[in-house]
Amino acid sequence: MGAGRVAGLVLAGALLVGCSSGGVVDTVGRAGSAPAEVASAEVVDAERRVVRSAELELAVDDPAGTAGAVRRAGERSGGHLARERGDADRVRLSLRVPAERLDAVLAELSGLGRVLSRSTSTEDVTEQVVDTGSRLESQRASVRRLRELLDRATTVAEVVQVEAELTERETELEALERRRAALADRVAMAEVDVVLERSAARGAGFLAGVTTGLHSLGGAGSLLLTWLGVALPYVVLLALPAAAGVLLVRRRRRARTPPLG
């Protein structure tokens, strides 16, 4: 009798889906079962969704101090600092700024130092947005139908079966909602990677040459000390037998030399 009730619920679910879409893949239809040509048509008609990003490298006198100006520029645009790392000579920052303000922010940041490199890129995610939206609508409809079936369940077996399927569909629905939110955030907020380098490290002229020479001298000195440290144990090991041999030869010569007078 219980099996007959479950079969009745399955048939009811199929009829619900059949009335709305003309066919089913399984009991109540899964997200992603919409025809591919419908999704393609939606992509053609949809407003384009584009993810923008940029990279900027500057030579500045004070990387740490300029990093503060970069953060403030991002905040004034309505964005925020996502990541920051570096030291006294080099700082890398990642900003999230409103996509429509990206060009203005880049222009402001470029005025903080000497531009070494600058680039922008775009990624069209329209198809991903439309596909996720279609799957989301289908999944919501699937969850609603399962809840209707759950309300009609009269036995423990029916409740267990429908609740298990409902839990799975609700989990898939939450994943699709998170994906849609992530895509919307990427479209709305552009990412800007900014690298600040101390001018002397990449500059030209006498001071830059002196700085480079000192760094090279320091590197050569460190390399020399390293080699000396590696070679020292071997030098000591070889020097001990050599010193013993020299002492032995000197003693023999003294023994062979006759005393004067």
Side-chain angles (χ1 to χ4, degrees):
M1 190 66 178
R5 293 287 301 173
V6 173
L9 288 171
V10 170
L11 178 58
L15 290 174
L16 284 171
V17 180
C19 292
S20 60
S21 64
V24 291
V25 174
D26 52 13
T27 306
V28 290
R30 286 187 176 275
S33 60
E37 57 270 19
V38 175
S40 299
E42 290 177 350
V43 171
V44 173
D45 296 336
E47 179 183 352
R48 309 310 297 179
R49 296 290 189 270
V50 177
V51 175
R52 302 187 66 195
S53 60
E55 295 182 358
L56 180 66
E57 187 173 4
L58 300 174
V60 298
D61 294 332
D62 180 14
T66 307
V70 172
R71 290 192 294 270
R72 290 189 293 272
E75 292 169 356
R76 282 194 300 271
S77 71
H80 62 274
L81 177 69
R83 295 178 299 277
E84 179 178 350
R85 62 181 182 276
D87 51 36
D89 293 326
R90 181 183 174 90
V91 179
R92 177 182 291 273
L93 306 96
S94 292
L95 301 177
R96 302 289 309 286
V97 302
E100 66 275 10
R101 294 280 300 157
L102 176 60
D103 295 330
V105 171
L106 280 177
E108 181 177 353
L109 295 179
S110 297
L112 297 178
R114 181 165 57 88
V115 177
L116 301 176
S117 66
R118 172 175 168 169
S119 64
T120 59
S121 62
T122 59
E123 178 188 359
D124 191 330
V125 295
T126 307
E127 185 173 355
Q128 297 179 46
V129 171
V130 171
D131 178 69
T132 302
S134 298
R135 291 175 181 273
L136 195 53
E137 291 179 5
S138 299
Q139 197 70 13
R140 283 172 176 166
S142 175
V143 169
R144 285 196 301 270
R145 289 190 289 269
L146 279 169
R147 286 173 179 166
E148 291 174 3
L149 292 178
L150 185 60
D151 291 338
R152 298 179 183 181
T154 58
T155 68
V156 174
E158 292 171 358
V159 170
V160 170
Q161 181 181 5
V162 177
E163 281 188 339
E165 186 67 19
L166 180 59
T167 299
E168 181 181 349
R169 302 295 176 87
E170 287 178 336
T171 300
E172 294 173 357
L173 177 60
E174 291 173 358
L176 286 169
E177 289 174 338
R178 287 194 298 269
R179 183 182 181 189
R180 187 182 67 170
L183 283 171
D185 181 66
R186 291 181 61 202
V187 171
M189 303 293 287
E191 185 163 339
V192 186
D193 288 330
V194 183
V195 176
L196 306 174
E197 287 197 1
R198 189 174 296 279
S199 297
R202 292 284 295 268
F206 177 75
L207 292 178
V210 171
T211 302
T212 303
L214 289 175
H215 281 298
S216 300
L217 180 61
S222 298
L223 182 61
L224 179 60
L225 290 175
T226 300
W227 278 106
L228 287 176
V230 172
L232 184 60
Y234 297 97
V235 171
V236 172
L237 185 63
L238 295 174
L240 290 176
V246 170
L247 290 175
L248 181 61
V249 170
R250 287 182 177 179
R251 287 180 179 178
R252 289 181 177 178
R253 286 181 178 176
R254 289 176 182 174
R256 293 176 180 177
T257 301
L260 296 176

